[in-house]
Amino acid sequence: MRALGDFLVLALAFSGAWGGSLKGTRIVGGPMSEWGDFPMMVAVLTRPLIGRSELLCGGTIINDNHILTSASCVTDHSALGLKVMGAGLDLLGSAGYEEFKNIQQVFIHESYDPTTKQNDIAVLRTSHNFVFVHDLIEPTVLPADDTEPASGAFASVAGWGMDEVRLYML
């Protein structure tokens, strides 16, 4: 079922039906981020005993030691097998500003359904607090409980995904 879902997403992206028809309006083919564009964004990575880390998905800093991510990304991993990187623009961590934090505990939504992806949400607790630096690493700003976005408001989407569309035969 996962492969079919991946194919559907790839097909929608390829057709331009997912995220708009202009190349600059899609995540795939969208512009590269600059320093400070998304200081609340982290990369959720594997932490293998041997070899290099691999990207699992993105996450959002909620506070100094909690990350919001999707359950489907971390459900097959223990806390000891995960880490996050903040303040990075590439997955190599080559700029020197990045903060890497090991994961102490994984909280997966109690009603998460891996088949339907319903309640696909998880919170990661880091082993050490992030050091917040303006425009590099900051928690996300959540709206007040009674605040709704204005009609026609714009939103930004960021991720660590592909930089081009690839069509795979299943």
Side-chain angles (χ1 to χ4, degrees):
M1 186 66 171
R2 179 183 164 120
L4 179 60
D6 289 348
F7 177 75
L8 179 60
V9 168
L10 285 172
L12 289 171
F14 186 73
S15 71
W18 185 45
S21 59
L22 299 175
K23 186 175 181 178
T25 63
R26 299 188 304 239
I27 293 176
V28 174
M32 292 291 293
S33 297
E34 300 291 331
W35 286 107
D37 285 350
F38 301 100
M40 72 294 292
M41 181 93 183
V42 299
V44 179
L45 307 163
T46 59
R47 194 179 94 178
L49 294 174
I50 300 173
R52 295 180 8 189
S53 294
E54 292 183 21
L55 173 70
L56 294 174
C57 56
T60 302
I61 300 172
I62 311 172
N63 61 28
D64 57 359
N65 68 341
H66 288 93
I67 305 296
L68 180 67
T69 191
S70 63
S72 57
C73 288
V74 297
T75 193
D76 294 332
H77 301 275
S78 70
L80 292 175
L82 296 171
K83 67 181 178 180
V84 294
M85 176 188 69
L89 282 180
D90 63 54
L91 294 174
L92 300 174
S94 58
Y97 299 117
E98 299 85 1
E99 283 191 44
F100 291 89
K101 303 295 179 192
N102 294 330
I103 301 303
Q104 180 181 43
Q105 197 165 4
V106 177
F107 302 94
I108 294 176
H109 192 288
E110 63 187 26
S111 298
Y112 167 59
D113 184 333
T115 303
T116 66
K117 303 296 186 227
Q118 187 171 11
N119 300 307
D120 188 10
I121 190 167
V123 173
L124 310 177
R125 179 181 294 148
T126 60
S127 58
H128 295 85
N129 293 352
F130 278 103
V131 176
F132 294 142
V133 177
H134 182 67
D135 283 344
L136 283 179
I137 299 179
E138 297 178 1
T140 193
V141 177
L142 299 172
D145 291 339
D146 58 351
T147 303
E148 290 187 26
S151 177
F154 285 93
S156 294
V157 179
W160 292 98
M162 298 181 304
D163 59 4
E164 62 183 57
V165 176
R166 295 179 183 97
L167 185 59
Y168 295 97
M169 299 305 290
L170 303 175

